[in-house]
Amino acid sequence: MSAVQDLARSLEQGPRAITLFGAPDGYDAATIGNFIGRRWLHVCRDDGRMARFAAALAFCYGGPR
């Protein structure tokens, strides 16, 4: 089991805020995609980064769900 899967399981047991920072572009989408079906909030610095995040999320997980 990966560290991200461990984190997802931990958050199911005790929801709380976490911060992911310093991740290379695209890695944030790959990580957050593990939480699809759960509540999450991702804040992008600007609209360009938001567009790239959405594209990376669609690439990793086959589009919006």
Side-chain angles (χ1 to χ4, degrees):
M1 183 171 298
S2 74
V4 173
Q5 290 170 328
D6 288 340
L7 175 61
R9 180 167 289 127
S10 173
L11 289 172
E12 285 177 353
Q13 295 171 356
R16 63 196 176 279
I18 61 167
T19 302
L20 173 66
F21 61 93
D25 285 344
Y27 187 79
D28 53 352
T31 301
I32 290 172
N34 286 293
F35 302 112
I36 289 178
R38 301 175 180 102
R39 266 191 312 182
W40 53 269
L41 169 70
H42 180 70
V43 178
C44 296
R45 187 179 349 188
D46 55 40
D47 59 342
R49 287 185 186 263
M50 182 185 67
R52 288 189 298 275
F53 173 78
L57 193 60
F59 175 80
C60 292
Y61 296 97
R65 295 185 183 201

